[in-house]
Amino acid sequence: MVAALKKLTGDDLAGRFTAWWDGREYVPSGDAESEDSEAAPVEAEIPEIEKKPKSTDALSPAASRIAAIETVWGEGRFGPGSAEIEARLTDSLGAMENGSEDQFGVINSDPATVRHIMGVTGGTPVISEWRVPCAGRFREEFPDFEMMNGDLDRPPFQAESLKLMFSQDAFAYADHKSGLAVRVFRSLKPGGQWVILDTLRGTSTGRLAPAFASSWSEPQLVDSHEIAEICEGAGFELVSDEDDLTGDVVHAARQSFDRFGQDLSARLAGKLEQVNKVVYMQELGWEAESWKWRQRALAGELLQVKMWKFRRPAE
């Protein structure tokens, strides 16, 4: 399939993708250079990555969908991630007193973020995931930890079992946002904290549908004031007010797609041996199309990404 794509794109798949992503007309690299240009070639440093043994098992359509998303964002990621975003998250977390004996809940995130939280807190994750393909990927990555399927707005955590909750875009997709906040409140021990990272309506107005072309469900976005009202209405106390991560997410998305465009052929070649090719290429197209629009919506303040920390009052 990679050979066919190269043939269709004149053996410049990366160049055509980058032009499409930037919204400009494609110009073959040979035509873009002046005749007497003799710029020295630049050799990029490619970090060595420890490769896992290849499996001969074909991936299911659901797993192929996740494989496409990880092709764009990196292993264990379902969306943009970077050291800057992780550093901001680290600032909102803290080490747990009892280490792995303490549990933290996760709603609607990805394996890479869960591993980061484990490293910062030392706690043990309890994962609630409503997206079936994502749940399968979590089980593959964390076979020894508790993994639950449940509705996004009714995560099935045990009452007062968690010291910390982390949710990502849970408010963006939950139907019953107040119900989500009440369930999280019940699952936390007194004094437990809820770190929220979410996508919101911004200060500008415009068409947002293309920005969610590959979403798992139709987003129902709120603004930052509504999230604070919902959480406080459920009984939470505000620990730290909204922290704007929009710029970090835009930067991370652009960096990921820059790398993706430069190394497109190699990334596809590494995935196409096992995946369901139709599902994989469809999801890859959806993800690229939606984020082409979403990073513009974020940059243009139609959307925002913010983080809060709330606490269940100590009793």
Side-chain angles (χ1 to χ4, degrees):
M1 181 173 284
V2 174
L5 287 171
K6 286 185 175 182
K7 184 176 180 181
L8 286 171
T9 58
D11 202 23
D12 191 12
L13 186 57
R16 289 182 183 275
F17 174 85
T18 302
W20 169 81
W21 176 260
D22 293 340
R24 56 180 171 78
E25 185 177 353
Y26 168 69
V27 178
S29 57
D31 295 345
E33 299 175 358
S34 61
E35 293 182 359
D36 53 0
S37 174
E38 296 183 358
V42 177
E43 295 185 3
E45 293 186 4
I46 302 176
E48 293 185 3
I49 300 175
E50 183 178 346
K51 295 184 178 180
K52 296 180 179 179
K54 289 186 178 180
S55 170
T56 57
D57 296 333
L59 297 180
S60 66
S64 296
R65 187 178 184 189
I66 296 301
I69 293 172
E70 290 186 280
T71 299
V72 175
W73 304 116
E75 186 173 356
R77 294 199 182 278
F78 302 157
S82 67
E84 290 77 15
I85 294 173
E86 289 183 346
R88 304 283 287 276
L89 179 56
T90 297
D91 291 340
S92 293
L93 303 170
M96 291 182 167
E97 295 178 1
N98 301 314
S100 60
E101 294 182 9
D102 286 332
Q103 294 181 320
F104 66 88
V106 179
I107 303 174
N108 203 50
S109 189
D110 60 37
T113 302
V114 172
R115 286 203 178 277
H116 177 72
I117 297 174
M118 289 173 62
V120 173
T121 66
T124 298
V126 180
I127 303 163
S128 178
E129 181 53 66
W130 60 286
R131 302 162 295 183
V132 175
C134 296
R137 183 67 177 90
F138 271 116
R139 287 194 177 95
E140 175 187 299
E141 190 75 13
F142 303 112
D144 298 328
F145 297 136
E146 189 174 355
M147 167 75 220
M148 302 175 292
N149 286 116
D151 293 338
L152 178 57
D153 45 18
R154 292 194 295 271
F157 298 107
Q158 293 182 10
E160 298 190 1
S161 62
L162 307 172
K163 295 287 292 291
L164 171 72
M165 180 72 73
F166 173 73
S167 68
Q168 187 168 359
D169 280 348
F171 279 98
Y173 292 106
D175 290 326
H176 305 292
K177 304 180 194 306
S178 295
L180 168 65
V182 168
R183 288 295 184 108
V184 172
F185 186 90
R186 290 175 182 171
S187 70
L188 288 170
K189 295 179 179 182
Q193 298 186 338
W194 184 10
V195 176
I196 299 170
L197 180 62
D198 232 286
T199 301
L200 317 159
R201 288 199 307 265
T203 56
S204 301
T205 57
R207 185 165 173 255
L208 291 174
F212 294 92
S214 81
S215 66
W216 300 96
S217 67
E218 190 68 24
Q220 302 179 47
L221 303 177
V222 295
D223 61 32
S224 57
H225 301 295
E226 290 176 273
I227 286 186
E229 289 175 3
I230 290 169
C231 292
E232 290 173 351
F236 283 100
E237 299 173 342
L238 181 64
V239 176
S240 58
D241 206 354
E242 57 191 59
D243 186 13
D244 196 333
L245 276 70
T246 305
D248 291 321
V249 172
V250 171
H251 182 65
R254 287 176 175 170
Q255 279 193 323
S256 291
F257 275 101
D258 283 346
R259 291 192 297 267
F260 180 67
Q262 293 165 9
D263 200 23
L264 186 53
S265 297
R267 291 196 183 196
L268 290 177
K271 293 285 186 180
L272 289 176
E273 297 176 5
Q274 297 172 259
V275 299
N276 180 311
K277 294 179 177 59
V278 173
V279 173
Y280 176 86
M281 295 303 294
Q282 183 181 55
E283 185 68 31
L284 201 63
W286 283 344
E287 193 72 3
E289 177 68 20
S290 66
W291 273 95
K292 176 183 178 181
W293 288 97
R294 196 181 306 188
Q295 57 94 18
R296 294 176 182 176
L298 288 164
E301 297 187 356
L302 274 73
L303 295 172
Q304 296 175 325
V305 178
K306 294 187 177 182
M307 184 164 61
W308 295 257
K309 182 161 66 174
F310 292 91
R311 176 176 54 227
R312 175 175 172 169
E315 296 177 355

